[in-house]
Amino acid sequence: MAISSAHLFFLLSFIALSLFLVISTAETESELVDDLQTLQSQSKSGVIHLDDRTVSKFLTSPKTPRPYSFLIFFDAAQLHDKSELRLRELRQEFALVASSFITNHNNSNTKLFFCDIEFRESQSSFHLFGVNSLPHIRLVGPTVKSLKDDSEQMDQGDFSRLAESMAEFVESRTKLTVGPIHRPPILSKKQLGLIVAILLISSPFVAKKIFAGETLLHDPKIWLSGAVFVYFFSVSGAMHNIIRKMPMFLVDRNDPNKLIFFYQGSGMQLGAEGFAVGFLYTIVGLLLAFVTHVLVYVKDARAKRVAMVVAILVSFWAVKKVIFLDNWKTGYGIHGFWPSSWN
Amino acid sequence: MAATETSTATVPTLYTNTLRNAFGGVLSFFILLLIGVLAFSIRLFSVIKYESVIHEFDPYFNYRVTQFLTKNGIYEFWNWFDDRTWYPLGRVIGGTVYPGLTLTAGTIWWLLNSLNIPLSVETVCVFTAPIFSAFASWAAYLLTKEVKGAGAGLTAAALLAMVPSYISRSVAGSYDNEAVAIFALIFTFYLYIKTLNTGSLFYATLNSIAYFYMVCSWGGYTFIINLIPMHVLLCIVTGRYSSRLYIAYAPLVVLGTLLAALVPVVGFNAVMTSEHFASFLVFIIIHVVALVYYIKGILSPKMFKVAVTLVVSAGLAVCLAMIAVLIALVASSPTKGWSGRSLSLLDPTYASKYIPIIASVSEHQPPTWPSYFMDINVLAFLVPAGIIACFLPLSDASSFVVLYIATSVYFSGVMVRLMLVLAPAACITSGIALSQAFDVFTRSIKFQLPGVSSNAEVDAGETSSATAEAQNNVVKTEKTETSKDRPSRKSKKKEREHVEKPSTKAKAEKKRLLALPLEASFISLLLLVLLGAFYVVHCVWAAAEAYSAPSIVLTSHSHDGLHVFDDFREAYAWLRHNTDVDDKVASWWDYGYQTTAMANRTVIVDNNTWNNTHIATVGTAMSSPEKAAWEIFHSLDVKYVLVVFGGLVGYPSDDINKFLWMVRIGGGVFPHIKEPDYLRDGQYRIDSQATPTMLNCLMYKLSYYRFVETDGKGFDRVRRTEIGKKYFKLSHFEEVFTTHHWMVRIYKLKPPKNRIRGKTKKSKSKTSSTSSPRKSGTKKKNPWH
């Protein structure tokens, strides 16, 4: 009997305990969501900052179907200055998606939370996710058990178009709508007002100056140097470098101490290369103009002669260099069509 | 020259000058004639090396439209609904093309025929572009002459006649809009400058008409309608407003916009899209400024100061209201009223970020520095000197040239295609630079040559430096005199310029004493001539080798001689002769224009890619398995499917290489086509590692059907690999024709089986007998037959 009562006691206590446990888990679930929401509201952009402790609290310890999904941005402060990774830009875009998502759902959403993790602070979490390269964005769904294998990684292509493509990724995987991205205007309303006010106030003065004809714009030298600069800038292919984000030079793969300034193949060019050739293009014209328009007014015959010789040599060298570089880069064999009897 | 000098030494200088001018005029005329001949003949390489054919894909469409025009007349053309293309939708041709080119060629043809010169329409079309290149170099002469005198004009014309960038778009047979548009562009600019220099309403009206012709010819007319307002604004801002400026600009905006709206393809866009708003804004500003100048003229300086505050505040209010309206208009239209292409010009990174379709087109890529050397060659060295020459002294006309070169060089940096707009500007500035350099160097040599008496020295110095200017000045002073008689109130600017003229003459007198060292000038002259010679060699090479190969006939040089691949025309001719007139032919859109023009058969999609869904349907069919593809094609009434295959001869731009685009475009509309299904680990391959989806899709099957019979291994020379699936049968398609080099393969859709089984067999036996002898010869080797 004693045994049975003991049994009964155990049984009862077990039931009570399990009941308590069930209640407690239910409680903790809603608690967790509450916690997350307070964390979310504390952050300015709506991105929750995770560390090792919170990762275990929200992701590893709760039981699997969790009532929420996480979209996690893996960040590393020490890599922010590496421009080719674009971490800063992506982090901002990520925050943009987060804030747009929250405002589009009027703060009532409890399904998806946007988080970020910093590498220095939480290295073990990085290990937990098996993240070893950045940029990296990962979606942890409610049913994900192993953070490393089950969670879904966002492809490079998905954040190539920044916030919009991130939103598409989220929409396609979670069946949640993100809605329109609310980009902050480039100028805030106050700044815009200020600028308009300044323009309005200054406009009579500017107009007066223009009518009087004594602005900087009336100086042809400004226009001249502007035009030549635009020319130099364009023929150097700088626009190509900006659009393609080409570096100024490359490091030689075979010999890390050597730098490559000139790239062979006509479809691509490096920054320094473009500027060098643009300079060669421009210098010849400038020297020609100098000789025809300035040098003729010089009185000293000796100075004239020296200047002309220098101009001729430099121009000749520049043209020769460009022709050589062009042949080397493109590989075209430009040849004349002479009568065959001349050969 | 020397003879005339000695003979006229005693005659009064005025008389000498007129004789000189007459002589120079005749000489210029013959030089211009030769330049025209040069411009025409340098573009004939394609005709000499190949034959008199039309080259690319787009020109075939223009050719077909011209044929229609000459056959049916202008009104039929205007209302032409083309049912041979975009089946079953069709296309309204009259309202969707820029009619300038076709109307021009049609007119030339009509004129020649009424003179009893029976040229075919094709011949006229082939030679339209070279003829208009000659016109363009003459227009460049006129424009540069207005800016810096006849010498610079002749140099610029000679340079433009053979600039490679322009040759690339105007060789004989490249019958495209740009061929006439560049002429129209330069001529419009010339008339604008002419109006600006003379203040004559006659030229202003001509200018509007030239602008109308430009609008008819090319979408690039927006460049004009933005550049001219920019120049007007620049003149106003730098205090160069004059009534001549008003006459040059205001009629152009009013008449030009009205005329532009007459072109169906432009229509109300001329007033409703943002590309045109700049001109209206400047139109308002120039009126405000004109009012200010008017009030300034009728009031005393003191009263004017009072008035200026009034007018400026009122004017500003009006301007602000207008700007607000404009901004509201812009903001209310989709894409803020700007087309994607224009936006990508203003913000160069725009296209690569947001519009992959525009960014993916090769002629929309930003150029690298070798492109400049290829397309304008040594002009790239001369342009800065020309820019500086334009500033010494700065006039209304030369400031326009500076603005033109600065904007066009910037735009060409964004899109390699716009190099075409840069080329004339580069020629004009380089012409100015070269002619001034020659002027200085030859003057120095002539001045210091031993054996020339000091008396002749003075004379020679004056004439050589002043001929160009003098001629120009004579014209100009005459013009100013005549316009002075008119009661119109000239601004002070005019007077100032009038005062300037004698001073420039005095300057020229001073200049004759200024010379450079003899031997150095001699070497410089030699080097400049060498530079010019290099330019000529490069241009001839570019015209002969780089830009004269038609894409319809291909050639290749190998160790055993020249090979000609004429497969395209073989296939189109087969279609024309062996299929029913109303049969529909499906192919990728690249070949649409050619199929309609050369085979005269209806196509599903063509190079005017206006309907993405329709293209996606064809793309989906090509990427689907045979049965699904058959269903799609059958639903479109397609009888024949044409694929281009380069694996046998190594022709790289075939359909297999374009196939990923078909998948992408198809998948964009029909999501069941997914690009990763066709890629093995992100790699596009057709060998044994290829995915099953790839090996079963229609494009693979139609391209490689029976391919293994050619060499026993199925080695693809473009992809440089053996193909993945070698032996397979077609269940829903049958091969009806394969060209000599297998470059074009035509398949027929099998009719639905359960209805006319007996007929199928009959047609099969018939088609096999009509197909090429190679096929019947190799047929027995095929283990599946």
Side-chain angles (χ1 to χ4, degrees):
Chain A
M1 203 59 196
I3 295 161
S4 68
S5 70
H7 267 274
L8 197 68
F9 173 73
F10 269 117
L11 201 67
L12 273 173
S13 62
F14 180 73
I15 291 164
L17 199 68
S18 56
L19 258 176
F20 172 73
L21 268 176
V22 167
I23 290 161
S24 77
T25 48
E27 262 177 11
T28 43
E29 265 185 9
S30 61
E31 258 173 35
L32 282 175
V33 171
D34 283 345
D35 280 357
L36 281 169
Q37 272 185 327
T38 47
L39 278 173
Q40 190 180 47
S41 58
Q42 274 165 15
S43 136
K44 210 171 114 192
S45 59
V47 176
I48 301 163
H49 189 74
L50 293 180
D51 51 30
D52 289 342
R53 193 181 56 79
T54 41
V55 164
S56 71
K57 180 180 167 193
F58 292 122
L59 285 174
T60 35
S61 21
K63 265 205 242 159
T64 50
R66 287 185 288 267
Y68 44 75
S69 326
F70 272 11
L71 189 69
I72 305 173
F73 182 85
F74 293 84
D75 200 4
Q78 76 259 36
L79 294 177
H80 273 188
D81 51 331
K82 288 211 169 180
S83 60
E84 70 268 23
L85 292 179
R86 303 199 300 161
L87 276 180
R88 255 176 218 272
E89 188 191 353
L90 288 172
R91 172 70 178 73
Q92 275 170 8
E93 293 293 316
F94 185 75
L96 205 62
V97 179
S99 56
S100 306
F101 182 79
I102 292 161
T103 45
N104 287 342
H105 290 86
N106 297 324
N107 297 319
S108 59
N109 163 69
T110 52
K111 292 271 171 59
L112 179 65
F113 291 96
F114 292 78
C115 317
D116 68 343
I117 300 185
E118 212 286 318
F119 178 69
R120 278 275 170 77
E121 294 170 7
S122 21
Q123 293 191 7
S124 58
S125 302
F126 267 63
H127 187 70
L128 204 65
F129 281 98
V131 174
N132 44 25
S133 72
L134 292 179
H136 195 111
I137 300 175
R138 199 162 260 243
L139 180 74
V140 185
T143 52
V144 166
K145 285 200 180 102
S146 153
L147 291 177
K148 196 171 178 177
D149 302 326
D150 298 349
S151 61
E152 280 184 276
Q153 187 194 338
M154 200 186 278
D155 285 334
Q156 285 281 348
D158 283 325
F159 46 76
S160 61
R161 280 185 302 117
L162 307 174
E164 283 76 12
S165 53
M166 288 189 201
E168 275 168 27
F169 172 81
V170 172
E171 283 178 1
S172 66
R173 303 301 153 93
T174 58
K175 313 281 184 300
L176 292 169
T177 50
V178 177
I181 305 288
H182 303 287
R183 280 188 189 276
I186 302 165
L187 296 166
S188 70
K189 271 185 187 162
K190 267 186 195 168
Q191 283 169 319
L192 206 68
L194 200 68
I195 287 169
V196 167
I198 288 172
L199 277 180
L200 274 181
I201 293 165
S202 64
S203 55
F205 298 99
V206 173
K208 200 182 163 191
K209 280 254 177 188
I210 288 173
F211 287 121
E214 48 192 44
T215 48
L216 217 56
L217 296 174
H218 288 77
D219 189 356
K221 280 190 199 105
I222 304 275
W223 291 101
L224 174 61
S225 38
V228 173
F229 176 74
V230 167
Y231 180 76
F232 161 74
F233 186 77
S234 303
V235 291
S236 65
M239 211 54 81
H240 170 269
N241 296 342
I242 292 171
I243 294 172
R244 293 284 152 74
K245 298 198 176 68
M246 296 304 291
M248 288 307 269
F249 48 80
L250 292 174
V251 177
D252 198 338
R253 276 206 197 138
N254 305 325
D255 181 5
N257 294 324
K258 254 169 78 179
L259 296 175
I260 300 177
F261 289 99
F262 283 85
Y263 180 89
Q264 197 165 9
S266 59
M268 209 174 99
Q269 72 170 28
L270 299 172
E273 172 187 354
F275 286 123
V277 179
F279 171 74
L280 293 180
Y281 277 150
T282 318
I283 190 78
V284 177
L286 290 180
L287 283 173
L288 187 66
F290 170 74
V291 168
T292 48
H293 295 293
V294 180
L295 206 61
V296 283
Y297 294 109
V298 175
K299 291 251 168 67
D300 185 8
R302 207 183 141 78
K304 266 186 194 175
R305 192 156 284 150
V306 171
M308 271 200 83
V309 168
V310 170
I312 288 171
L313 286 179
V314 171
S315 310
F316 187 74
W317 169 78
V319 174
K320 221 183 123 202
K321 196 79 195 161
V322 169
I323 292 172
F324 164 75
L325 280 172
D326 183 64
N327 278 343
W328 170 79
K329 193 175 172 76
T330 58
Y332 292 141
I334 295 163
H335 56 85
F337 293 86
W338 312 115
S340 45
S341 60
W342 288 15
N343 291 324
Chain B
M1 200 67 177
T4 52
E5 248 168 55
T6 48
S7 68
T8 57
T10 49
V11 204
T13 38
L14 189 76
Y15 192 69
T16 326
N17 266 344
T18 42
L19 202 69
R20 240 176 241 290
N21 282 345
F23 184 67
V26 172
L27 198 63
S28 309
F29 177 76
F30 279 106
I31 292 174
L32 278 176
L33 212 61
L34 286 179
I35 287 172
V37 172
L38 169 69
F40 183 81
S41 52
I42 201 173
R43 289 167 167 81
L44 298 184
F45 278 106
S46 57
V47 172
I48 293 164
K49 287 177 77 177
Y50 298 88
E51 59 188 293
S52 177
V53 284
I54 293 180
H55 283 191
E56 306 288 325
F57 301 114
D58 281 16
Y60 268 98
F61 171 72
N62 298 331
Y63 169 51
R64 189 164 154 257
V65 175
T66 316
Q67 265 184 325
F68 186 89
L69 172 71
T70 51
K71 216 177 276 170
N72 299 300
I74 175 99
Y75 288 106
E76 285 293 311
F77 159 69
W78 220 241
N79 298 320
W80 184 19
F81 179 80
D82 183 13
D83 55 357
R84 291 249 161 231
T85 178
W86 290 97
Y87 184 83
L89 306 169
R91 177 184 169 196
V92 184
I93 300 281
T96 53
V97 290
Y98 286 99
L101 179 75
T102 32
L103 288 180
T104 309
T107 313
I108 295 175
W109 180 84
W110 174 81
L111 206 69
L112 288 172
N113 269 267
S114 53
L115 292 174
N116 288 330
I117 305 174
L119 286 182
S120 70
V121 179
E122 191 181 6
T123 316
V124 173
C125 291
V126 165
F127 292 106
T128 299
I131 290 171
F132 269 78
S133 319
F135 291 170
S137 36
W138 293 335
Y141 163 75
L142 291 173
L143 172 56
T144 322
K145 192 181 156 206
E146 277 305 306
V147 179
K148 282 281 170 185
L154 287 174
T155 325
L159 292 175
L160 188 81
M162 50 187 170
V163 66
S165 170
Y166 186 28
I167 287 179
S168 73
R169 292 310 185 108
S170 62
V171 290
S174 69
Y175 179 55
D176 217 341
N177 285 337
E178 285 93 334
V180 297
I182 294 301
F183 159 71
L185 181 89
I186 303 172
F187 198 62
T188 311
F189 285 157
Y190 157 67
L191 284 170
Y192 171 69
I193 296 288
K194 187 80 185 171
T195 323
L196 200 55
N197 278 344
T198 58
S200 135
L201 259 178
F202 171 69
Y203 284 113
T205 317
L206 281 189
N207 190 16
S208 312
I209 294 170
Y211 173 67
F212 174 59
Y213 184 60
M214 177 71 192
V215 177
C216 280
S217 312
W218 196 33
Y221 74 90
T222 46
F223 181 65
I224 295 182
I225 205 60
N226 282 302
L227 187 70
I228 290 180
M230 264 171 83
H231 179 245
V232 171
L233 201 63
L234 187 84
C235 283
I236 290 172
V237 168
T238 53
R240 295 179 148 271
Y241 171 80
S242 64
S243 48
R244 287 171 294 120
L245 187 70
Y246 183 85
I247 291 171
Y249 185 65
L252 174 69
V253 172
V254 177
L255 284 178
T257 307
L258 282 175
L259 287 171
L262 289 180
V263 183
V265 66
V266 177
F268 278 105
N269 283 349
V271 283
M272 285 172 72
T273 55
S274 311
E275 281 102 331
H276 304 80
F277 284 170
S279 62
F280 301 136
L281 190 66
V282 174
F283 189 67
I284 296 165
I285 290 173
I286 199 171
H287 277 94
V288 172
V289 171
L291 190 69
V292 169
Y293 273 85
Y294 176 69
I295 290 168
K296 200 173 176 180
I298 56 169
L299 291 181
S300 64
K302 206 176 173 189
M303 280 292 284
F304 177 70
K305 267 195 179 165
V306 182
V308 111
T309 39
L310 250 168
V311 170
V312 160
S313 46
L316 266 181
V318 172
C319 272
L320 280 180
M322 286 295 178
I323 292 169
V325 169
L326 278 184
I327 290 174
L329 268 177
V330 170
S332 63
S333 58
T335 72
K336 304 278 179 267
W338 290 85
S339 57
R341 272 179 212 177
S342 323
L343 269 180
S344 69
L345 281 180
L346 296 180
D347 174 14
T349 50
Y350 178 85
S352 55
K353 267 189 223 155
Y354 301 108
I355 342 171
I357 289 289
I358 288 186
S360 69
V361 178
S362 69
E363 54 181 26
H364 294 160
Q365 303 299 321
T368 53
W369 68 263
S371 321
Y372 285 94
F373 199 69
M374 180 70 198
D375 276 354
I376 58 173
N377 198 245
V378 302
L379 305 187
F381 295 114
L382 298 171
V383 169
I387 293 175
I388 292 171
C390 282
F391 276 92
L392 302 167
L394 192 65
S395 66
D396 289 348
S398 68
S399 68
F400 180 76
V401 170
V402 171
L403 194 68
Y404 178 24
I405 184 90
T407 44
S408 62
V409 82
Y410 169 77
F411 288 149
S412 75
V414 180
M415 257 187 213
V416 69
R417 180 185 192 192
L418 294 171
M419 204 74 99
L420 192 63
V421 179
L422 166 69
C427 290
I428 289 161
T429 42
S430 312
I432 292 169
L434 261 187
S435 118
Q436 294 214 335
F438 275 132
D439 208 19
V440 169
F441 293 138
T442 47
R443 189 208 311 148
S444 312
I445 292 171
K446 205 169 187 178
F447 186 42
Q448 295 171 40
L449 265 187
V452 181
S453 72
S454 61
N455 191 15
E457 237 171 57
V458 175
D459 191 33
E462 188 186 31
T463 46
S464 72
S465 70
T467 34
E469 256 168 83
Q471 202 178 351
N472 201 23
N473 278 359
V474 167
V475 174
K476 260 191 196 164
T477 41
E478 262 171 34
K479 286 278 155 61
T480 45
E481 237 110 79
T482 52
S483 55
K484 254 215 135 162
D485 296 341
R486 278 185 220 155
S488 68
R489 215 186 50 71
K490 297 281 165 209
S491 68
K492 281 192 180 158
K493 182 74 210 147
K494 193 79 199 179
E495 255 85 62
R496 212 193 301 160
E497 240 182 34
H498 217 63
V499 179
E500 257 170 25
K501 285 226 162 106
S503 79
T504 46
K505 261 191 185 159
K507 237 190 227 165
E509 296 234 336
K510 231 198 281 169
K511 242 186 203 169
R512 81 195 136 99
L513 298 172
L514 305 165
L516 295 166
L518 178 67
E519 62 288 343
S521 332
F522 197 75
I523 295 171
S524 312
L525 207 59
L526 200 74
L527 286 177
L528 276 182
V529 170
L530 272 181
L531 199 70
F534 180 78
Y535 177 69
V536 174
V537 168
H538 177 91
C539 292
V540 172
W541 172 82
E545 301 282 325
Y547 294 136
S548 284
S551 68
I552 195 93
V553 189
L554 305 162
T555 54
S556 83
H557 291 274
S558 64
H559 51 90
D560 53 339
L562 184 78
H563 288 274
V564 178
F565 303 105
D566 207 358
D567 286 35
F568 286 108
R569 289 195 289 182
E570 189 187 349
Y572 295 135
W574 185 89
L575 275 176
R576 194 169 65 239
H577 291 296
N578 295 286
T579 59
D580 192 65
V581 176
D582 289 326
D583 282 346
K584 279 88 192 169
V585 180
S587 66
W588 191 233
W589 58 262
D590 294 20
Y591 314 103
Y593 278 166
Q594 290 182 347
T595 313
T596 43
M598 300 182 79
N600 193 22
R601 293 294 172 266
T602 308
V603 295
I604 307 298
V605 291
D606 71 20
N607 307 44
N608 177 277
T609 52
W610 62 276
N611 188 329
N612 194 35
T613 318
H614 222 48
I615 294 180
T617 311
V618 174
T620 307
M622 294 294 190
S623 348
S624 305
E626 233 187 303
K627 188 165 190 300
W630 185 89
E631 273 157 12
I632 292 172
F633 280 142
H634 190 69
S635 72
L636 286 170
D637 267 0
V638 170
K639 266 269 183 62
Y640 297 92
V641 180
L642 178 151
V643 294
V644 173
F645 170 63
L648 186 73
V649 287
Y651 170 62
S653 52
D654 64 351
D655 276 345
I656 292 284
N657 269 8
K658 290 171 186 164
F659 181 59
L660 275 192
W661 279 107
M662 303 182 202
V663 173
R664 273 175 213 148
I665 292 171
V669 178
F670 303 101
H672 69 275
I673 303 288
K674 295 187 193 72
E675 192 181 338
D677 293 345
Y678 297 85
L679 303 175
R680 175 75 72 193
D681 302 327
Q683 269 193 321
Y684 177 55
R685 52 202 310 170
I686 45 98
D687 54 7
S688 48
Q689 295 292 308
T691 58
T693 325
M694 178 70 216
L695 294 180
N696 281 316
C697 73
L698 185 71
M699 182 48 74
Y700 180 90
K701 284 194 166 176
L702 296 192
S703 290
Y704 293 115
Y705 177 60
R706 294 197 309 111
F707 180 51
V708 72
E709 294 167 22
T710 53
D711 58 354
K713 282 188 294 193
F715 184 80
D716 186 323
R717 291 214 197 156
V718 176
R719 268 64 59 175
R720 301 190 168 284
T721 171
E722 268 182 42
I723 60 171
K725 197 170 166 189
K726 294 175 184 171
Y727 304 98
F728 54 85
K729 245 194 333 194
L730 292 175
S731 54
H732 292 76
F733 293 83
E734 58 180 325
E735 185 186 7
V736 288
F737 187 68
T738 294
T739 55
H740 184 232
H741 299 97
W742 286 52
M743 275 169 61
V744 184
R745 313 194 67 183
I746 300 171
Y747 293 84
K748 190 178 184 181
L749 268 75
K750 282 185 186 168
K753 267 182 188 164
N754 53 354
R755 273 192 275 165
I756 31 169
R757 171 162 283 185
K759 237 180 184 175
T760 321
K761 273 182 189 162
K762 217 188 249 173
S763 69
K764 208 177 188 178
S765 60
K766 210 189 272 172
T767 48
S768 66
S769 63
T770 53
S771 60
S772 71
R774 159 190 281 269
K775 193 193 148 201
S776 50
T778 51
K779 195 159 186 175
K780 270 164 202 153
K781 279 188 216 160
N782 189 346
W784 297 98
H785 277 280

